[in-house]
Amino acid sequence: MTKELNEMVIYYWSPAVKSEDWAMEKMATVYKEAHAYHSERLYRTPPQAIQEVLVLKEHAYSQAK
């Protein structure tokens, strides 16, 4: 709400193989239900669009075997 960039790196893991789309859907839910919850009522400004908030960057990770 302050218009300041708050960049976070988020890692996910699961006992079963999950897709990046699955992780993005879960993060979108967290954003809507926690971070953007009542933002208009509390801050008098609408929350940013999910496409502006969540960005999937190229990954450099290794998958567990």
Side-chain angles (χ1 to χ4, degrees):
M1 295 297 125
T2 63
K3 305 294 183 197
E4 292 180 28
L5 179 62
N6 185 9
E7 187 172 329
M8 295 190 289
V9 177
I10 300 169
Y11 298 95
Y12 70 94
W13 59 94
S14 171
V17 176
K18 301 290 185 183
S19 69
E20 291 172 343
D21 289 334
W22 176 87
M24 291 297 283
E25 288 173 21
K26 299 302 177 196
M27 289 306 305
T29 300
V30 169
Y31 174 71
K32 288 188 282 187
E33 293 180 1
H35 297 284
Y37 180 74
H38 285 303
S39 66
E40 287 193 62
R41 186 173 63 113
L42 296 172
Y43 305 109
R44 295 185 175 96
T45 183
Q48 284 181 271
I50 290 173
Q51 298 84 355
E52 295 175 9
V53 175
L54 296 177
V55 178
L56 182 63
K57 294 185 178 180
E58 290 296 318
H59 51 272
Y61 67 89
S62 60
Q63 186 173 6
K65 296 180 182 182

